[in-house]
Amino acid sequence: MPQKALFDGTPASVFDNPGQHRFELALGGKDIAAAYYRRDENGHVVLTHTEVPSE
């Protein structure tokens, strides 16, 4: 079975959702990819978890 491409060349934007402590990428419909983060004592962003929808 061929794999589906999630990116079709359409420009995409990543948004910061500080209330959820995550960066979000809309994938179409209600699906998003998310990268959760925390800020360290120096204010640097530390990625703690990522999520992508299942096929």
Side-chain angles (χ1 to χ4, degrees):
M1 177 179 196
Q3 292 185 358
K4 295 180 187 176
L6 292 177
F7 185 72
D8 64 3
T10 304
S13 297
V14 174
F15 295 96
D16 184 8
N17 181 339
Q20 295 291 319
H21 303 281
R22 68 184 184 191
F23 296 110
E24 301 173 345
L25 172 65
L27 298 175
K30 294 182 180 181
D31 289 335
I32 66 165
Y36 290 83
Y37 65 85
R38 66 176 176 81
R39 294 216 178 249
D40 69 10
E41 61 278 354
N42 296 314
H44 298 121
V45 174
V46 178
L47 299 179
T48 59
H49 181 73
T50 59
E51 291 182 4
V52 295
S54 60
E55 288 189 49

